[in-house]
Amino acid sequence: MVATKGRPAVWENLPHSLVHRSLSLRRRFLPPHLQQRPLLNSLLQERLCRQLAATLRPSAYSIGSYNKVFACEWLNNDTVLLATKCNNLLRLNLLNSAVTRVPLLGMPGRSPGLPNLPVVINDGGLHALETNGPATFLATGALADGDLGVYELPDLRPYALLHGAHADWVFDAAWLDAATLVSVARDSSMAIWSLPEANFSTGVDPDGFAVTSPRYVRKVRDFQDQSARLRSVDIGKCGNLAVLSLNSFLQFYSIERLDTPVATIHLGSSESSFAKETVCVRASPEPHCFYSCCVDHVTLYDSRTGLASDSIESKDRLSGVRSLACNGPVVSYGTGIGNVYFYDVRSHRHLTRHLGLCKAALPGDQQQQARQHQLFRDHNYLHGSQPEYAIYSHKYDADCARIFTAGGPLATTHWGNVAVLHS
């Protein structure tokens, strides 16, 4: 295990200090009516967003032989949660590198009054990992393919099992408010859930958590009226909802009316690169706008018109864009070969610095462990093939001063993981 050495407070505040020093020289030249704290805070924040990547240094963590980290989420300043393809929810302590498993929620039998959907043990991994706005609940996958588990924060106490909407892998989820969740799945279903009150009036599992059914379920269809494999969902600043499918279309909904989309965008024909590997949609800081990714582009769409207002060509063309995150005027994207790039949407250019993966930053024992595991599972290593490591998820901390990147081998036949803190 590789421990992350504690750093003094001055180091943790270094990005802020550098930006503040740079701008403080200009403050006295501003007119008096502009020397107000909101303006300076805005300038500082935007400057920090643009300069952050240049100040970050990687610290890699060995998390064992778990396969492919599909999602990560900050629990607090010292702890990150990881969701893996091998169906494990992990808690990683950044101070001492300790990794502990969090039990997944499941329902061994049927609960009265709930839909009689088949319970299939999850073999697709945990893709969704989302904390609500007040940081009181965490939603992720469960033991069964189509279920979600909700945990109470900060102690990760099991709170509710969401069951009865999906019959296939749950690919993504987003919180509409502190107690309402939307989820999408590979079987084309989109569901709205309301968390039960603490008295668990919906029904209680013997383990002490609520078992609840969806408030609303909709089967989403594509342009040919075929089932859409829904891949990603996010909620915008104005309360509008974006749903992205693997069938290469993007739909926008109003929360007040989910039966009909406000706008639908066909991202392209099957031959177009814009229609390939559409795996992530994320809300932009700009109202009504969303970023959608494909194999070689990140595109900004306006949900009111359905039109693209900006298109960013990936620096790692054809490797696939696997994750997205926004920080002020900067959108970052993780690629299939282990890089995270930063793009300034106001100046329409990539920032000079980027985060490189970490195959170089992987702890030696993890490289050896992954190699030995792979020799057992995949004959490709016998022919000298080395896997590409993808960034499946990257998240800013609460202060937007650190970034945690996580992922694993891009090829489905390869086994391994990567987890790196950039601070």
Side-chain angles (χ1 to χ4, degrees):
M1 305 289 271
V2 175
T4 302
K5 297 181 179 179
R7 293 191 174 99
V10 66
W11 175 266
E12 294 180 355
N13 295 325
L14 181 60
H16 299 275
S17 301
L18 291 175
V19 175
H20 186 274
R21 184 179 67 180
S22 174
L23 287 181
S24 62
L25 297 177
R26 307 178 189 182
R27 181 175 182 176
R28 55 183 170 178
F29 298 108
L30 291 173
H33 69 282
L34 294 180
Q35 295 185 16
Q36 301 298 321
R37 185 173 298 275
L39 173 62
L40 290 178
N41 286 342
S42 176
L43 291 172
L44 285 169
Q45 183 61 34
E46 288 193 10
R47 186 70 179 272
L48 175 60
C49 293
R50 295 185 175 97
Q51 294 189 352
L52 179 62
T55 69
L56 300 178
R57 299 294 180 268
S59 300
Y61 290 82
S62 175
I63 63 171
S65 59
Y66 297 101
N67 189 26
K68 296 183 181 68
V69 180
F70 279 157
C72 63
E73 183 77 4
W74 288 85
L75 183 60
N76 54 51
N77 285 335
D78 302 325
T79 308
V80 173
L81 297 174
L82 308 174
T84 72
K85 178 178 172 59
C86 55
N87 214 38
N88 285 282
L89 179 61
L90 309 174
R91 177 165 42 191
L92 171 63
N93 187 311
L94 300 178
L95 299 180
N96 59 18
S97 302
V99 178
T100 56
R101 292 178 59 185
V102 179
L104 297 181
L105 305 189
M107 188 175 61
R110 296 289 188 272
S111 294
L114 292 176
N116 190 26
L117 290 180
V119 175
V120 180
I121 298 300
N122 195 340
D123 62 353
L126 305 180
H127 296 265
L129 189 61
E130 297 292 332
T131 302
N132 67 351
T136 53
F137 293 110
L138 171 85
T140 186
L143 286 176
D145 269 345
D147 292 350
L148 292 103
V150 176
Y151 299 82
E152 193 170 8
L153 299 178
D155 56 358
L156 291 175
R157 182 180 68 85
Y159 186 83
L161 178 70
L162 310 184
H163 171 80
H166 309 298
D168 208 339
W169 301 346
V170 176
F171 270 140
D172 203 5
W175 290 93
L176 304 182
D177 57 38
T180 307
L181 185 75
V182 58
S183 58
V184 295
R186 194 172 65 164
D187 66 351
S188 81
S189 60
M190 175 173 65
I192 305 293
W193 311 83
S194 293
L195 296 188
E197 297 294 335
N199 61 11
F200 296 155
S201 58
T202 319
V204 180
D205 185 88
D207 292 329
F209 52 83
V211 181
T212 186
S213 55
R215 191 177 79 189
Y216 172 86
V217 180
R218 167 181 167 81
K219 289 287 186 178
V220 179
R221 316 291 289 184
D222 68 6
F223 287 100
Q224 286 76 40
D225 197 36
Q226 297 177 350
S227 295
R229 295 175 296 162
L230 303 184
R231 183 60 179 84
S232 186
V233 63
D234 204 10
I235 181 76
K237 295 186 67 174
C238 295
N240 45 348
L241 196 68
V243 179
L244 180 67
S245 87
L246 291 172
N247 303 47
S248 74
F249 73 87
L250 178 63
Q251 289 188 337
F252 301 106
Y253 293 86
S254 168
I255 297 301
E256 290 76 22
R257 186 177 179 182
L258 292 173
D259 56 336
T260 304
V262 175
T264 301
I265 303 172
H266 190 198
L267 301 177
S269 64
S270 58
E271 293 79 18
S272 170
S273 63
F274 286 90
K276 296 178 179 177
E277 300 182 31
T278 51
V279 297
C280 187
V281 63
R282 288 295 174 259
S284 164
E286 299 296 327
H288 305 287
C289 293
F290 292 85
Y291 289 100
S292 174
C293 71
C294 64
V295 67
D296 57 6
H297 281 82
V298 176
T299 306
L300 180 64
Y301 292 99
D302 191 317
S303 63
R304 296 166 296 181
T305 63
L307 299 177
S309 59
D310 197 3
S311 186
I312 306 165
E313 184 176 356
S314 171
K315 285 201 166 187
D316 294 339
R317 293 207 60 189
L318 303 181
S319 69
V321 175
R322 303 294 165 177
S323 59
L324 293 171
C326 295
N327 182 22
V330 175
V331 58
S332 55
Y333 59 92
T335 73
I337 57 175
N339 296 313
V340 176
Y341 293 100
F342 301 85
Y343 184 85
D344 188 338
V345 297
R346 294 186 181 168
S347 62
H348 301 283
R349 64 179 181 87
H350 280 91
L351 302 185
T352 305
R353 297 292 297 271
H354 73 280
L355 307 181
L357 197 69
C358 319
K359 280 196 291 187
L362 279 173
D365 61 337
Q366 185 175 340
Q367 292 187 36
Q368 183 63 26
Q369 185 180 52
R371 187 182 300 271
Q372 291 175 349
H373 202 143
Q374 196 59 48
L375 278 171
F376 176 74
R377 292 178 59 88
D378 196 317
H379 70 279
N380 288 340
Y381 265 119
L382 301 179
H383 302 285
S385 172
Q386 298 294 324
E388 296 289 355
Y389 278 72
I391 299 295
Y392 291 115
S393 180
H394 69 282
K395 290 288 182 70
Y396 289 87
D397 68 356
D399 296 326
C400 293
R402 297 179 295 170
I403 300 176
F404 195 89
T405 60
L410 184 60
T412 57
T413 55
H414 288 80
W415 186 286
N417 62 71
V418 65
V420 179
L421 172 66
H422 299 267
S423 61

